[in-house]
Amino acid sequence: MNKQILLLEDDFNLGDTIKDLLVAGGYQVDYVTSGQTAIDLTYDHQYDLYIFDINIPDIDGLDILKSLRNADDLTPAIFISAMTDLKTVLKAFDAGAYDFIKKPFYSEELLIKVNLKLMEKDQKIQYKDLEYFPKEKKLLRNQKLVSLGEVSTQIFDLFLHNIGRVINKNELYECMNNPGPNALRFHISNINKITGIEIKNIRGRGYILEQS
């Protein structure tokens, strides 16, 4: 599946240009001009990257990212903004931004930074005594190959890419051929038993794999 990006930009011409650039680069892009719409989409979709403008009429881009971080959403975010004073840049990184690109910018600059960040997610992920290689779906524990099965691996992959964030059941069901609460509990138990990690149930919200 292609990486999914949420783009928030209220300048229609620039937004369309960025979307076309990213789609041509092989990404799936949801482009919105409203901060509230962006927030709503994060509830229903699992994105690999956010690209936010800051000066959005209804909800400030900085406030959006702060609220997402407060909700344990650790999806990497890049800000693009004409507000280039040092105070704003520092606020962006304090809010949890991965990068800040000042307008105007070369489209190639944005694409390079997007590619670099999303390539990181395809490299080895280390968690305690586990080494996971997302591209090959290969998992090592104490340098020994272990197998979770296809569905449990998909669920495990989702948790490793969202460490520290509560993942709701609907997101987890998307990884399953025959979703349901009993099947989900089986896969969570299977993952915990084989890997030695602890995926916790947050009652009424979902499950979380906490920072190691």
Side-chain angles (χ1 to χ4, degrees), residues 127-130 139 141 146-148 152-153 155-156 159-160 184-201 207-210:
Y127 185 84
K128 296 186 177 180
D129 60 354
L130 302 174
L139 175 63
R141 183 179 183 188
V146 295
S147 176
L148 295 174
S152 289
T153 297
I155 294 172
F156 177 73
F159 278 109
L160 274 197
L184 178 58
R185 282 193 291 269
F186 166 80
H187 288 294
I188 296 295
S189 176
N190 183 52
I191 293 168
N192 287 343
K193 180 179 179 180
I194 293 175
T195 64
I197 65 176
E198 184 181 7
I199 297 172
K200 295 182 178 179
N201 182 10
Y207 291 85
I208 186 171
L209 177 61
E210 295 179 336

Side-chain angles (χ1 to χ4, degrees), residues 16-32:
D16 285 337
T17 298
I18 294 174
K19 179 180 179 180
D20 290 344
L21 172 76
L22 295 172
V23 170
Y27 299 109
Q28 293 182 4
V29 181
D30 285 338
Y31 167 41
V32 298

Side-chain angles (χ1 to χ4, degrees), residues 162-203:
N162 293 276
I163 294 172
R165 183 175 79 86
V166 176
I167 302 176
N168 65 52
K169 291 181 180 179
N170 288 333
E171 290 181 70
L172 293 166
Y173 285 165
E174 292 180 5
C175 300
M176 303 168 62
N177 297 322
N178 298 295
N182 291 335
L184 178 58
R185 282 193 291 269
F186 166 80
H187 288 294
I188 296 295
S189 176
N190 183 52
I191 293 168
N192 287 343
K193 180 179 179 180
I194 293 175
T195 64
I197 65 176
E198 184 181 7
I199 297 172
K200 295 182 178 179
N201 182 10
I202 308 299
R203 185 177 296 274

Side-chain angles (χ1 to χ4, degrees), residues 8-11 32-36 52-62 64 83 103:
L8 171 62
E9 170 58 63
D10 65 338
D11 181 323
V32 298
T33 59
S34 159
Q36 186 58 57
F52 292 162
D53 189 7
I54 291 179
N55 192 19
I56 300 296
D58 59 339
I59 304 178
D60 185 287
L62 293 172
I64 294 172
M83 301 172 64
K103 296 179 181 177

Side-chain angles (χ1 to χ4, degrees), residues 116-155:
L116 286 174
K117 185 57 185 175
L118 293 181
M119 281 174 59
E120 288 180 11
K121 301 183 77 173
D122 290 330
Q123 306 302 316
K124 181 179 75 172
I125 300 174
Q126 185 87 37
Y127 185 84
K128 296 186 177 180
D129 60 354
L130 302 174
E131 295 175 280
Y132 179 63
F133 300 84
K135 277 190 174 181
E136 299 89 351
K137 296 290 189 291
K138 183 173 72 173
L139 175 63
L140 302 179
R141 183 179 183 188
N142 293 322
Q143 299 184 334
K144 295 181 179 179
L145 186 66
V146 295
S147 176
L148 295 174
E150 182 178 352
V151 175
S152 289
T153 297
Q154 293 289 343
I155 294 172

